[in-house]
Amino acid sequence: MSVVDHVREMAAAGLHSNVRLLSGLLLTMSGNNPELFSPSQKYQLLVYHADSLFHDKEYRNAVSKYTMALQQKKALSKTSKVRPSTGNAASTPQSQCLPSEIEVKYKMAECYTMLKQDKDAIAILDGIPSRQRTPKINMMLANLYKKAGQERSSVTSYKEVLRQCPLALDAILGLLSLSVKGAEVASMTMNVIQSIPNLDWLSVWIKAYAFVHTGDNTRAINTICSLEKKSLLRDNVDILGSLADLYFRAGDNKNAILKFEQAQMLDPYLIKGMDVYGYLLAREGRLEDVENLGCRLFNISDQHAEPWVVSGCHSFYSKRYSRALYLGAKAIQLNSNSVQALLLKGAALRNMGRVQEAIIHFREAIRLAPCRLDCYEGLIECYLASNGLREATVMANNVYKTLGANAQTLTLLATVCLEDPVAQEKAKTLLDKALTQRPDYIKAVVKKAELLSREQKYEDGIALLRNALANQSDCILHRMLGDFLVAVNEYQEAMDQYSIALSLDPNDQKSLEGMQKMEKEESPTDATQEEDVDDMEGSGEEGDLEGSDSEAAQWADQEQWFGMQ
């Protein structure tokens, strides 16, 4: 048994640090005495040494050694004989012990992807003849092609994966995301579904995700719910996570949070989808829960984008935009395909006044998730912030045509119309259509209330908000109802609504401002009572109160300022 055989055995046993030390010493010996090892042994030593470097995440160094190994292999292939070497009397035949050249190229491609050199990864894998490509090579190629925008090549590679492994579900999702028809994808798995018992759910699963990738959220939700109710698939974490994400896309945040909570109760170490869950909690003002979620995720892994996004959401909704920007950038560094990280960074840039940079991030999010409405909402907000009403209108109309006339797209188009003085009637019509479809859609209710406030139709606004709050409780709706009640002199109930809003989101600055403004106002009852008080005494008290309000306002301003740092 030669020393190279010992290196091979240690590599097979996973003793990477030992392999690195010994192979490094042996390669130095080989460099000083070229006759010490045969060409095949040098090739093996280079590959095992590169593998140990790969394990230590020294990817550039690993690529260098893999390249040297491939060069050695070329030289070896030109030699028909294997030269004997000292200490190699009992070596095994060359064909039985040499590492696969295909595997070496795959490892090189992995290194390139870790170094974010996708073009080099594609080049090295493209060099492998099609017939020699294993399923994992085709899968990596498919993902790389998709990322590079080479959709036709990506589809071909995904199909090749399914031809070899018909139950490769991620390859199925890849094809569906590239607009391949669900029926065509299902036909590629039909034989295995019919030949294996208890796989009848797979055709329904494919149908559900076909709806997901065409943006038909309602039918996707209904199909996945039917799948989730099947006894064999009940309480599956992946299905619950998908259902939560679909509720989120459909604007049903309450059910989205509920499903995310169910998923993480089933799997306390769940990471996937937790960035969206954290975002939803932050939007509801549950910043303490967001902070706890971020800490829990960091304890699970800091090498995923999700914990960084969750912490970024906490910073963003605490108005610490610079920190949110840093955390979003860190998340993108870990996963450049993280849509939630791109949205976080884009929103932070927008709120910091760096609108053009924000637009780049929102466009990239749209490229990665063309069926997610919140990506378009972020971009449109940027256009409106930079007085790009025309661009915002074009984008909103395109979304309306592409994703269909549902409550969300109608509200988005109405939001843009509200910024155009000559399109107010159109905005009203669009919002009425949206509320007819979904009376509980909060964004539509908020925009309709804003429109009624402009028109000073306060009673109509109160009726709208009361109706919306009959079956749900939301900070913004309670605060807006408080504003409308103040406008009709219903001060006590307005104070109650502001209190409810603050109980839902203690950081809601507008509700705090509403309460502070009310403290400066006198209700008619108070004014009547003060008529019976001595004028001098009343005058003195009033002066003290005014001074107190002035001082409180100064402190409130300072608190708001420090909160935004």
Side-chain angles (χ1 to χ4, degrees):
M1 187 172 182
S2 71
V3 68
V4 177
D5 294 330
H6 282 284
V7 173
R8 186 188 311 112
E9 285 193 354
M10 287 193 294
L15 301 176
H16 304 290
S17 60
N18 299 275
V19 170
R20 178 172 181 171
L21 285 171
L22 182 56
S23 61
L25 292 169
L26 295 176
L27 285 170
T28 301
M29 291 169 60
S30 176
N32 289 325
N33 183 359
E35 302 298 322
L36 192 60
F37 297 108
S38 69
S40 65
Q41 289 177 318
K42 290 179 185 177
Y43 168 67
Q44 292 175 72
L45 288 173
L46 284 165
V47 171
Y48 297 137
H49 189 65
D51 287 346
S52 65
L53 292 170
F54 180 88
H55 183 266
D56 287 341
K57 299 182 180 180
E58 297 184 24
Y59 301 116
R60 292 192 187 280
N61 198 357
V63 165
S64 172
K65 298 302 185 292
Y66 282 131
T67 303
M68 292 170 65
L70 291 176
Q71 291 171 348
Q72 184 67 38
K73 186 69 167 61
K74 282 184 180 180
L76 179 61
S77 63
K78 295 177 182 178
T79 307
S80 57
K81 290 184 178 181
V82 179
R83 291 181 296 171
S85 61
T86 58
N88 191 34
S91 63
T92 56
Q94 173 183 326
S95 59
Q96 295 179 6
C97 62
L98 290 184
S100 165
E101 186 177 351
I102 304 299
E103 185 66 21
V104 169
K105 289 182 178 180
Y106 178 80
K107 284 285 185 64
M108 286 184 71
E110 282 191 304
C111 290
Y112 282 131
T113 56
M114 297 304 294
L115 295 169
K116 304 190 185 303
Q117 297 175 215
D118 291 347
K119 289 183 179 179
D120 293 321
I122 291 174
I124 197 73
L125 294 178
D126 265 339
I128 301 173
S130 299
R131 291 183 179 180
Q132 296 180 22
R133 293 176 188 172
T134 61
K136 70 177 181 180
I137 289 174
N138 280 313
M139 190 69 190
M140 181 182 280
L141 263 175
N143 290 332
L144 288 168
Y145 283 140
K146 180 182 175 183
K147 190 176 179 182
Q150 301 178 41
E151 294 188 0
R152 184 174 297 179
S153 297
S154 182
V155 167
T156 301
S157 295
Y158 279 132
K159 285 183 176 179
E160 189 60 28
V161 174
L162 279 181
R163 187 186 67 80
Q164 297 170 295
C165 303
L167 293 180
L169 299 189
D170 199 31
I172 289 175
L173 293 177
L175 285 172
L176 294 174
S177 71
L178 293 169
S179 302
V180 178
K181 299 294 184 182
E184 181 183 351
V185 176
S187 67
M188 301 177 71
T189 64
M190 196 58 64
N191 289 336
V192 71
I193 291 175
Q194 294 174 347
S195 62
I196 299 177
N198 298 319
L199 275 185
D200 54 314
W201 54 266
L202 183 55
S203 57
V204 182
W205 187 91
I206 294 172
K207 180 181 178 182
Y209 284 96
F211 288 139
V212 170
H213 289 289
T214 56
D216 193 342
N217 295 326
T218 302
R219 294 172 76 181
I221 288 171
N222 292 336
T223 308
I224 290 183
C225 280
S226 70
L227 197 63
E228 203 266 334
K229 289 176 183 177
K230 289 180 179 290
S231 58
L232 292 176
L233 292 176
R234 188 178 294 119
D235 291 338
N236 177 268
V237 172
D238 289 323
I239 290 177
L240 283 171
S242 296
L243 197 53
D245 189 61
L246 282 167
Y247 278 126
F248 163 63
R249 294 188 188 195
D252 188 349
N253 294 346
K254 181 179 179 181
N255 273 320
I257 291 174
L258 180 64
K259 292 300 177 183
F260 277 129
E261 287 174 347
Q262 289 179 12
Q264 73 165 351
M265 284 179 66
L266 289 167
D267 183 1
Y269 299 102
L270 179 65
I271 290 181
K272 184 180 178 182
M274 291 295 100
D275 49 353
V276 175
Y277 178 49
Y279 165 72
L280 289 172
L281 293 178
R283 280 198 60 175
E284 290 204 342
R286 295 166 57 180
L287 294 185
E288 186 176 349
D289 292 337
V290 177
E291 187 174 14
N292 292 335
L293 175 63
C295 292
R296 184 175 68 81
L297 292 175
F298 273 119
N299 287 332
I300 297 170
S301 172
D302 61 358
Q303 295 303 304
H304 289 76
E306 285 83 351
W308 299 90
V309 172
V310 171
S311 293
C313 289
H314 183 275
S315 296
F316 182 86
Y317 282 92
S318 300
K319 299 184 179 179
R320 298 160 63 192
Y321 302 124
S322 296
R323 180 164 176 76
L325 176 62
Y326 161 73
L327 293 167
K330 177 65 177 177
I332 293 170
Q333 184 181 7
L334 290 168
N335 181 6
S336 59
N337 291 329
S338 172
V339 174
Q340 211 60 38
L342 288 164
L343 294 178
L344 170 64
K345 189 178 177 185
L349 287 166
R350 181 192 63 220
N351 284 21
M352 293 170 69
R354 296 159 62 177
V355 178
Q356 294 306 313
E357 293 175 69
I359 286 173
I360 294 171
H361 288 76
F362 286 120
R363 283 176 175 166
E364 178 62 11
I366 290 170
R367 187 187 72 81
L368 293 171
C371 292
R372 276 188 57 169
L373 194 74
D374 51 341
C375 301
Y376 298 98
E377 288 175 338
L379 182 58
I380 286 172
E381 286 178 21
C382 286
Y383 286 145
L384 294 176
S386 57
N387 298 318
L389 181 60
R390 183 174 176 276
E391 292 87 346
T393 303
V394 170
M395 176 60 69
N397 277 303
N398 288 339
V399 174
Y400 178 79
K401 293 174 183 176
T402 304
L403 300 184
N406 54 55
Q408 293 170 282
T409 56
L410 287 165
T411 304
L412 182 61
L413 185 55
T415 301
V416 177
C417 291
L418 284 171
E419 300 297 321
D420 187 352
V422 300
Q424 300 300 294
E425 283 301 317
K426 182 179 179 181
K428 183 177 179 181
T429 302
L430 291 167
L431 289 171
D432 287 340
K433 287 182 179 179
L435 290 170
T436 300
Q437 288 189 21
R438 279 184 58 184
D440 62 339
Y441 186 45
I442 291 177
K443 289 185 179 180
V445 174
V446 168
K447 291 301 174 183
K448 181 66 181 292
E450 288 179 3
L451 184 60
L452 292 173
S453 178
R454 291 182 190 181
E455 297 173 346
Q456 297 185 355
K457 296 180 179 179
Y458 302 119
E459 294 294 344
D460 291 343
I462 290 171
L464 171 72
L465 292 165
R466 287 193 195 281
N467 184 57
L469 286 167
N471 298 313
Q472 60 186 332
S473 187
D474 179 81
C475 171
I476 297 175
L477 297 185
H478 282 291
R479 183 229 301 155
M480 294 188 79
L481 180 55
D483 293 340
F484 275 89
L485 290 167
V486 169
V488 296
N489 299 324
E490 295 287 346
Y491 296 109
Q492 185 55 53
E493 190 179 354
M495 183 69 78
D496 294 340
Q497 293 298 325
Y498 288 137
S499 298
I500 295 171
L502 286 170
S503 69
L504 294 170
D505 182 1
N507 299 298
D508 186 48
Q509 192 64 33
K510 291 184 178 179
S511 294
L512 283 170
E513 290 171 358
M515 293 190 75
Q516 290 172 356
K517 185 177 179 181
M518 282 192 62
E519 289 172 358
K520 297 178 183 178
E521 299 285 343
E522 288 183 342
S523 68
T525 305
D526 292 337
T528 304
Q529 290 175 349
E530 286 182 5
E531 287 177 0
D532 298 330
V533 181
D534 181 78
D535 289 342
M536 287 296 291
E537 184 179 354
S539 175
E541 289 180 359
E542 186 178 352
D544 291 339
L545 286 170
E546 286 179 356
S548 174
D549 285 339
S550 176
E551 185 178 354
Q554 291 177 8
W555 280 109
D557 290 341
Q558 290 183 26
E559 288 174 5
Q560 183 179 0
W561 168 253
F562 287 122
M564 294 181 67
Q565 297 308 303

